C-alpha cells in the first residue's frame, strides 16, 4: 500500500461498497470504477496471477484468500448450477445412514458422510467417513476461526428438544440428519468455504482425533487480541449499509420467532385434537353393533372420523418435519450473521483506535505504519466478504421460503380436500343408501 495519510473507511460516509475494490485484489491494468452513493452488489475484484487468471472450480479460491468474485456473479453462478441440475459442480456431499453406538460411558449417533469430487485437492474421487454431532461442531468452529469474514451456516441446536422427545428416536435422528446434510451442502455451495482445509479434513480423514488436539488457531488469538484492544471503544460511524443489515436481522429474527411459537402452539393443539379424534371414532363403530337400522350410517361416521385423523396426522407431521426446521435454521442464521457483523465492528474499532493513536502522537510521518495499513485491509476485507455473503444468504432465503410456503399451502389444501370432500361423499352414500 502506498504511503501517505491514512484513508477513511471506504464504505463509510457518502461512499458505498461499489467504490471499494477488494483488498486482496491484484490488478495492474484495471481501475475501480466509482459510482453514485447507491450501494451496488457488484464489488470490483479483478484478479490475476502472472499471466493467468486465478479461477478455480465453482468460483472458489484457496482457503487463505477471500471472495473470488462479485456478489452478483456468485448469484448468477448459483442460478446456472440450479438450472442445469448441478452438472457443472465438482463437489457433492451427502449425509445418510445414521447408526446408534452404545458404549460404556456414552451412547451417540454417527452419520455416514459420502463425498464425490473431481477437485485436485482430493486424492481420491470418492470418500466415505462416519461423523457424530460433535465432529460437525468442530468443523464449524474451525471455519469460524479460519474464515472470520464469512458467514458460516448454522448447525441444528443440540438441545432444541432435549427432554421433550427421545433424541435417539427415528423421527429425531432423521430430522437431525436432514439438518446436518443441509449444513454440509451450504458449505459445499460456498465458493470460499468449500476450499477450506478443515472442510477437506472433515470429509476425508478417517479419524479426527489428531486434528482435534491441535492448539488454538492463530486467528483465534488475534481475535481475542482485537476484543481486548477494542473492549472500551465505541465506533465513530458504522457504515449505513451494515447498520441497515443489523436492523433487518433484528426484525427478521423477531418475526420468525413469533411464527415459530405460534406454529408450535398450533401443532400442539392439532396433536391434542388428534388424540380426541382417535378416541371419538371407535365409539360410533361400537355403537353400530347395537343399532341394526343405524349400523351403516354409524360406520360411515366412524370411517369419516378415521379419514380426518389420518389427514390431520399427515399435516402435523409435515409441519413438524418440514416447516419448523426451516424456521429454526434461519433464526440461527440471523444469529450467525449478527456474530460476523460484531466481528466486523471490532475490526473497524481497532482501525479507528489506531488512527486516533497516530493523531495523538503528532508526528510528521511520511508513511502510514504497516499495522494501520493491515488493519484497514482487514476492514475492507470484512466489508466485501460480508456484503457478498449477505446477498448469497438473501438469495437462498428467498428460494427456501418460497418453496416452504408454497409447500405448506399445498399441504393445507390437500388436508381440507381429504377432510371435507371424501368424508362428505362417504357419509352421503351411507345416509341415503
Amino acid at each position: 500500500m502506498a504511503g501517505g495519510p491514512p484513508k477513511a473507511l471506504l464504505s463509510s460516509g457518502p461512499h458505498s461498497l461499489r467504490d471499494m475494490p477488494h483488498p486482496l485484489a491484484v490488478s495492474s491494468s484495471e481501475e475501480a470504477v466509482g459510482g453514485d452513493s447507491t450501494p451496488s452488489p457488484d464489488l470490483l475484484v479483478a484478479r490475476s496471477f502472472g499471466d493467468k487468471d486465478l479461477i478455480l472450480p465453482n468460483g472458489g479460491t484457496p482457503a487463505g484468500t477471500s471472495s473470488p468474485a462479485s456478489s452478483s456473479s456468485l448469484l448468477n453462478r448459483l442460478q446456472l448450477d440450479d438450472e442445469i441440475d448441478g452438472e457443472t459442480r465438482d463437489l457433492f456431499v451427502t449425509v445418510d445412514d445414521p447408526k446408534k453406538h452404545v458404549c460404556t460411558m456414552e451412547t451417540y449417533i454417527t452419520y455416514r458422510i459420502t463425498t464425490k469430487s473431481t477437485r485436485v485437492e482430493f486424492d481420491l474421487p470418492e470418500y466415505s467417513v462416519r461423523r457424530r454431532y460433535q465432529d460437525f461442531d468442530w468443523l464449524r468452529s474451525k471455519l469460524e476461526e479460519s474464515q472470520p469474514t464469512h458467514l458460516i451456516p448454522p448447525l441444528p441446536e443440540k438441545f432444541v428438544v432435549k427432554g421433550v422427545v427421545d433424541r435417539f428416536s427415528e423421527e429425531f435422528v432423521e430430522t437431525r440428519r436432514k439438518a446436518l446434510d443441509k449444513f454440509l451442502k451450504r458449505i459445499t455451495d460456498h465458493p470460499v468455504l468449500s476450499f477450506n482445509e478443515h472442510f477437506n479434513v472433515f470429509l476425508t480423514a478417517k479419524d479426527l482425533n489428531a486434528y482435534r488436539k491441535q492448539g488454538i488457531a492463530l486467528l483465534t488469538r488475534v481475535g481475542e487480541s482485537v476484543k481486548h484492544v477494542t473492549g472500551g471503544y465505541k465506533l465513530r460511524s458504522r457504515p449505513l449499509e451494515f447498520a441497515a443489515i443489523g436492523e433487518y436481522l433484528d426484525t427478521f429474527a423477531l418475526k420468525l420467532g413469533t411464527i415459530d411459537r405460534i406454529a408450535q402452539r398450533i401443532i400442539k393443539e392439532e396433536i391434542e385434537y388428534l388424540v380426541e379424534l382417535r378416541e371419538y371414532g371407535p365409539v360410533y363403530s361400537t355403537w353400530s353393533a347395537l343399532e341394526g337400522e343405524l349400523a351403516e350410517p354409524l360406520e360411515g361416521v366412524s370411517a369419516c372420523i378415521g379419514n380426518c385423523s389420518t389427514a390431520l396426522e399427515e399435516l402435523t407431521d409435515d409441519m413438524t418435519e418440514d416447516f419448523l426446521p426451516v424456521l429454526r435454521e434461519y433464526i440461527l442464521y440471523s444469529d450467525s450473521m449478527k456474530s460476523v457483523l460484531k466481528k466486523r465492528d471490532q475490526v473497524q474499532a481497532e482501525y479507528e483506535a489506531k488512527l486516533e493513536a497516530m493523531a495523538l502522537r503528532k508526528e510528521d510521518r511520511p508513511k502510514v505504519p504497516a499495522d494501520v495499513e493491515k488493519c484497514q485491509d482487514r476492514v475492507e476485507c470484512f466489508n466485501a466478504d460480508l456484503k457478498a455473503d449477505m446477498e448469497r444468504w438473501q438469495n437462498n432465503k428467498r428460494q427456501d421460503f418460497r418453496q416452504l410456503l408454497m409447500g405448506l399451502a399445498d399441504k393445507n389444501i390437500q388436508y381440507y380436500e381429504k377432510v371435507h370432500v371424501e368424508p362428505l361423499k362417504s357419509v352421503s352414500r351411507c345416509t341415503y343408501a
Side-chain angles (χ1 to χ4, degrees), residues 270-374:
E270 288 178 344
I271 292 176
E272 293 173 351
Y273 179 47
L274 182 59
V275 171
E276 297 292 338
L277 283 179
R278 287 173 174 170
E279 295 178 358
Y280 187 48
V283 173
Y284 286 93
S285 181
T286 304
W287 184 14
S288 67
L290 304 177
E291 301 284 350
E293 296 181 355
L294 296 177
E296 189 172 353
L298 289 174
E299 286 290 350
V301 172
S302 179
C304 289
I305 296 174
N307 289 337
C308 292
S309 299
T310 301
L312 182 60
E313 183 177 11
E314 292 175 355
L315 180 64
T316 303
D317 289 343
D318 289 332
M319 287 193 66
T320 302
E321 297 173 5
D322 299 328
F323 187 74
L324 290 183
V326 175
L327 294 182
R328 288 168 178 163
E329 180 195 15
Y330 273 92
I331 291 174
L332 295 174
Y333 240 134
S334 64
D335 292 338
S336 298
M337 180 64 79
K338 290 178 185 178
S339 177
V340 181
L341 274 174
K342 186 176 181 180
K343 293 177 185 177
R344 195 217 73 85
D345 289 347
Q346 290 172 347
V347 174
Q348 180 182 338
E350 181 189 20
Y351 176 59
E352 292 181 355
K354 289 181 181 295
L355 290 181
E356 290 187 358
M358 278 184 53
L360 291 176
R361 294 190 195 121
K362 296 181 180 181
E363 297 179 4
D364 185 14
R365 292 176 176 267
K367 186 178 180 179
V368 179
D371 62 331
V372 178
E373 291 184 343
K374 288 183 179 180

Side-chain angles (χ1 to χ4, degrees), residues 108-127:
Y108 59 92
I109 302 293
T110 63
Y111 304 85
R112 180 175 62 188
I113 314 299
T114 303
T115 304
K116 297 181 181 180
S117 179
T118 58
R119 294 183 179 180
V120 296
E121 290 83 4
F122 294 90
D123 296 329
L124 300 175
E126 184 172 349
Y127 293 86

Side-chain angles (χ1 to χ4, degrees), residues 138 141-146 197-198 210-225 227:
W138 171 86
S141 298
K142 287 299 181 181
L143 290 176
E144 284 188 326
E145 291 175 3
S146 57
E197 61 179 342
H198 301 295
Y211 299 94
R212 285 177 171 279
K213 295 177 181 178
Q214 293 178 358
I216 300 176
L218 174 62
L219 284 172
T220 302
R221 295 195 294 269
V222 171
E224 294 298 328
S225 175
K227 291 180 182 179

Side-chain angles (χ1 to χ4, degrees), residues 381-420:
C381 185
F382 252 111
N383 290 348
D385 289 346
L386 183 54
K387 179 75 175 187
D389 277 3
M390 181 66 181
E391 295 204 20
R392 286 174 56 85
W393 179 75
Q394 288 282 19
N395 182 69
N396 290 335
K397 177 174 65 68
R398 285 191 295 268
Q399 294 179 2
D400 289 345
F401 275 94
R402 181 175 183 273
Q403 180 179 359
L404 177 70
L405 297 177
M406 290 182 66
L408 181 64
D410 289 339
K411 294 297 183 181
N412 276 274
I413 291 173
Q414 294 170 11
Y415 166 74
Y416 284 106
E417 286 177 345
K418 294 176 181 178
V419 170
H420 293 287

